[in-house]
Amino acid sequence: MRRSAMEPAANLAALVPPDRWWPLLPTRQLKRQPTALERLGTQMVVWRNARGEAHAHERFCPHRRADLGRGRISGTNLVCKFHGFEFDGSGQCRLMPCEGSAAKIPPGMAIRRFPTLEAHGFLWCWSGSPDAMPDSVPYLPALAGVPPLASADTEMVWEMPIERSVEQLMDIHHTPFTHPLLWLSLSSKRNTRMVYEDLLLEGEHWRGTARFEPDGGGGKPFRLPHQLLFPNQSLLDFGYGIYLYATLVPINRERSIGWVRYLVKAPFPRALSAISNWLEARFVQPDDLAVLLANRPARGGLEHQCLVKADTFIAHWHRRWGHLVRGAYDDEASNGP
């Protein structure tokens, strides 16, 4: 794990809860060229220097507001393509070529740095106070010993707010109806009644086993252990050493991005993970999106949904999110009929 020096993150109080880790992108996507992206309502540039250290900064050069995502890396510095100004990992300007190497650099010639940490195959950004920033990113205990990089990712860009997108991480009982072929490969088509066993909704780590069975009992039940780290990490355990991990982050107030990752603790993990992720991207996610994009109101929440017992995780998430993010659902009425 490589950790950046702690600098203040953007004021995200109106978008996400404070003091949380959010994935910016999988580390395998962080190459030797800068990458421009929008996360948490903020325009960022992420880059890796010659020493392998990852950084996240404000995207635009303070000189003439050029896009630093179009720049390049020189040693341990990020170089602006427009005029060649160089910035180090702390965000301070170290060279203004037009002024010469002996020139005094103005205090304002700097780019804001966002606190980051590499862990579990992602580059994460901290949304809270630097003083409260922990030394590690939490992870699901069930994945201890499962290599995060022995996998492939399915990237999902959803034209939906985080409040609606994250519901899909917790919605299990849609599977028999939205993905009938997948369901038949896992269970019986008659197993549509779902109840939670061993439910634990305390603190940040929520657990429960979804038991599917025919209505009225009888038949062989199908059990699917489910875990969630609030607010944005989810895990399904399919057994046989195969796990479905997913995590989400807001792009801005109206859009989200996330990654689905099949983690395999079994022979041929890379091949099995790649095949599973291909099936997810080809057959599962398109069906989910077709349904979710038509949902109204766009932001979800409890007021406009009549949830049932099988939605226990979703209901608990919305109650906690609404408590932590002031005004999270204030604009629901404007999000459609």
Side-chain angles (χ1 to χ4, degrees):
M1 297 182 181
R2 302 182 181 94
R3 179 180 181 169
S4 73
M6 295 189 294
E7 300 292 341
N11 180 7
L12 304 169
L15 185 61
V16 297
D19 299 338
R20 295 293 188 282
W21 287 107
W22 298 92
L24 297 181
L25 77 171
T27 52
R28 61 164 59 87
Q29 294 182 13
L30 192 57
K31 307 297 185 182
R32 287 299 306 276
Q33 293 298 317
T35 300
L37 47 78
E38 183 181 10
R39 299 287 186 270
L40 301 165
T42 302
Q43 295 291 335
M44 300 179 180
V45 57
V46 295
W47 56 289
R48 190 185 298 283
N49 66 22
R51 292 202 294 251
E53 299 163 335
H55 301 284
H57 287 97
E58 177 188 359
R59 179 173 171 177
F60 300 103
C61 180
H63 171 226
R64 293 283 307 284
R65 307 301 296 170
D67 185 354
L68 292 170
R70 300 173 63 87
R72 61 182 177 86
I73 310 302
S74 177
T76 58
N77 291 346
L78 173 63
V79 183
C80 180
K81 183 178 179 64
F82 202 7
H83 298 94
F85 284 34
E86 296 191 17
F87 301 88
D88 66 14
S90 72
Q92 296 299 312
C93 183
R94 295 303 179 190
L95 179 66
M96 303 183 298
C98 60
E99 302 294 324
S101 59
K104 183 179 180 179
I105 298 176
M109 194 64 71
I111 48 177
R112 188 174 194 169
R113 186 181 195 181
F114 301 100
T116 59
L117 185 65
E118 289 188 71
H120 320 312
F122 292 93
L123 178 66
W124 302 78
C125 180
W126 178 249
S127 68
S129 165
D131 294 336
M133 181 178 172
D135 294 326
S136 62
V137 178
Y139 202 41
L140 293 147
L143 293 177
V146 181
L149 295 181
S151 62
D153 300 309
T154 298
E155 185 171 285
M156 310 168 292
V157 178
W158 288 352
E159 301 297 326
M160 296 176 291
I162 185 69
E163 291 87 353
R164 179 65 79 182
S165 301
V166 77
E167 290 178 347
Q168 203 61 10
L169 301 187
M170 301 172 284
D171 186 343
I172 302 177
H173 65 99
H174 78 285
T175 309
F177 309 99
T178 311
H179 315 295
L181 293 179
L182 171 63
W183 188 246
L184 285 176
S185 70
L186 297 172
S187 182
S188 165
K189 66 179 180 180
R190 298 176 59 241
N191 287 5
T192 58
R193 180 176 181 269
M194 193 196 96
V195 295
Y196 271 114
E197 299 176 341
D198 306 320
L199 191 63
L200 181 62
L201 299 175
E202 296 178 358
E204 305 278 271
H205 184 197
W206 309 345
R207 298 183 294 278
T209 298
R211 186 183 78 239
F212 290 88
E213 59 189 18
D215 191 17
K220 184 179 179 180
F222 171 70
R223 288 176 170 86
L224 188 60
H226 181 207
Q227 300 184 41
L228 186 121
L229 274 179
F230 181 85
N232 64 335
Q233 296 187 62
S234 176
L235 181 70
L236 294 176
D237 182 356
F238 292 107
Y240 308 102
I242 300 175
Y243 304 90
L244 174 57
Y245 172 83
T247 185
L248 284 167
V249 59
I251 294 175
N252 50 41
R253 188 66 173 143
E254 305 302 332
R255 304 175 70 221
S256 308
I257 186 170
W259 296 270
V260 168
R261 174 176 289 175
Y262 280 87
L263 298 167
V264 178
K265 194 177 182 179
F268 312 108
R270 290 185 181 273
L272 287 175
S273 179
I275 293 170
S276 298
N277 275 276
W278 179 83
L279 292 171
E280 180 80 23
R282 179 67 178 83
F283 297 105
V284 178
Q285 290 303 317
D287 290 342
D288 281 341
L289 281 174
V291 174
L292 290 168
L293 288 174
N295 287 4
R296 291 295 183 273
R299 204 165 300 286
L302 297 177
E303 181 179 355
H304 299 285
Q305 302 188 80
C306 186
L307 300 181
V308 296
K309 289 181 179 180
D311 300 314
T312 298
F313 271 52
I314 294 174
H316 195 66
W317 188 94
H318 279 296
R319 283 193 291 268
R320 184 160 175 77
W321 184 266
H323 175 72
L324 293 172
V325 183
R326 181 174 297 179
Y329 306 103
D330 285 355
D331 60 346
E332 281 194 333
S334 65
N335 286 322

